[in-house]
Amino acid sequence: MALSREQIAQRVAQELKDGYYVNLGIGIPTLVANFIPDDIEVMLQSENGLLGMGQFPTEDEIDADLINAGKQTVTMAAGASIFDSAESFAMIRGGHVDLTVLGAFEVDVNGNIASYMIPGKLIKGMGGAMDLVAGADNIIVTMTHASKHGVSKLLSNCTLPLTGKGCIKKVLTDLAFIEIRDGKFHLLERAPGVSVEEIIKLTDGELVVSGEIAEMKL
Amino acid sequence: MAGFDKVVASYAEAMAGLTDNMTVIAGGFGLCGIAENLISEIKRKGTKGLTLVSNNCGVDDFGLGVLLPNRQIKKIIASYVGENAEFERQMMAGELEVELTPQGTLAEKMRAGGAGIPAFFTATGVGTPVAEGKEVRSFNGRDYILEEAIVGDFAIVKAWKADRYGNLVFRKTARNFNPLAATAGKITVVEVEEIVEVGELDPDQIHTPGIYVNRVIQGSFEKRIEQRTTRPADPLIAKGA
């Protein structure tokens, strides 16, 4: 069975380590916050200028001056700090964020990512995504493995305009956990009940499958 | 003698000197920390041909979006746009020029503009459409593109508190681009929730020193929320326990 959005987030959360500063993008990445293990401390960075993002506010706690990068009302966790946008991106571009999780339309075997623009359709912009992929060393891309029509999103070459070049090393899809290295995809894990053959069929770029591929543990 | 007193009495006075085809840098992220009343004043004045530099462009009836129906904006430099139908229509019709700029690059362009740095190199955007036509240089084996700073004829800023000298304090994430915009305007206009007397703000707690600020006005704000997300109240707290 392909993973649900929540299950993708759940598997990503297993990559969190104690003491990590983490930036979560909009969509599935945001859900990762719901699966942070109880026995570790993680601080969430929101690029509009908040380190130490807390949970959503109660109706009484809502504050129009306190939002996250998705423009949602939030709260601050204990130990939070507030700063301006240049400071926020100094953290990101300076490589101080330990893990970035973001979505994409396509990734390819050379670690290129396309996530912000579909020519001919409405172009809304890259927001902070280009800064995040250029600045972070440790990035996990979350997305569905293929489109609803079965068209692979893991390609030999991205077809859409790039968000970043040669910057992606890990991809977690609804079918598989994949590492990108040496110009190839490497299959690390498969979703429970999903066969290696299914993953091969839906992966357009070269996929290396070595030895027995374990199922993800959720 | 006004000395360092930056306080002005009216919004007309606050935006005096803004004329057609000027560049305006605006603070704010989404609808958070935007200079609501200064934007309304630009709408009222009817100034046209503006180049706006702002992370976003508001929504249909609020924020910078209110400048769209009368075609006051010629060009916008932003990282994320299109939260409103009129924006989309004007962009698709080629009536509005849009220069998409990565959010960190946009912030740095303002910071550099305010600090007298004409351009800077960044890895952000290398190998993407953002890099087109820009100088690429390699440092320590990695490619970077040259991005130019931005200075505005005007900057419109929203702060929480100011003293009469224009020292500013921002509140929570309404800070965002505001301190950067404040440094990068030839004329920086700030509207605040409260003006206090000189000496009332703790110098250690001032986010933007008054040297960057030309005009200060006190306003009242709607503070519209874009995404109202909540969690249920804790039942114990709800009962007053």
Side-chain angles (χ1 to χ4, degrees), chain A residues 103-126:
Chain A
F105 300 139
E106 299 173 345
V107 293
D108 71 25
V109 293
N110 293 310
N112 297 327
I113 173 172
S115 67
Y116 84 102
M117 183 195 207
I118 300 176
K121 292 198 180 171
L122 180 63
I123 297 155
K124 291 205 171 199
M126 68 291 283

Side-chain angles (χ1 to χ4, degrees), chain A residues 47-50 55-76 82-87 89 93 116-117 120-135 161-165, chain B residues 29-30 32-33 56 79-83 88 91-92 100-108 111 120 122-130 142 158 171-177 179-180 193 223-234:
Chain A
E47 64 265 26
N48 57 317
L50 169 61
Q55 52 190 344
F56 289 145
T58 62
E59 198 63 40
D60 291 342
E61 289 171 342
I62 285 182
D63 185 339
D65 288 340
L66 187 54
I67 63 167
N68 64 15
K71 291 149 192 161
Q72 297 171 313
T73 47
V74 291
T75 58
M76 292 184 279
I82 299 273
F83 33 85
D84 67 50
S85 299
E87 181 86 55
F89 283 92
R93 294 168 170 223
Y116 84 102
M117 183 195 207
K121 292 198 180 171
L122 180 63
I123 297 155
K124 291 205 171 199
M126 68 291 283
M130 283 194 182
D131 304 283
L132 283 160
V133 298
L162 298 184
T163 307
K165 199 177 164 186
Chain B
F29 185 97
C32 182
N56 316 92
S79 86
Y80 194 83
V81 292
E83 300 284 8
E88 186 178 340
M91 183 169 76
M92 293 309 210
L100 290 175
T101 302
Q103 199 174 128
T105 295
L106 187 65
E108 196 65 13
R111 198 192 70 79
F120 55 90
T122 178
T124 300
V126 169
T128 77
V130 166
R142 187 169 184 201
K158 158 70 174 53
R171 186 172 177 276
K172 299 185 178 171
T173 57
R175 191 181 320 183
N176 57 60
F177 282 84
L180 309 163
E193 294 172 46
K223 292 197 187 183
R224 193 181 293 184
I225 292 171
E226 235 165 310
Q227 305 282 342
R228 195 181 185 90
T229 45
T230 57
R231 68 175 200 278
D234 183 325

Side-chain angles (χ1 to χ4, degrees), chain A residues 13 18 25 34 57 61 71 77 79 87 108 123 136 142 146 152 157 160 167 172 202:
Chain A
D18 193 28
N34 301 333
E61 289 171 342
K71 291 149 192 161
E87 181 86 55
D108 71 25
I123 297 155
T142 60
S152 180
N157 286 295
L160 297 168
C167 46
L172 190 66
L202 288 170

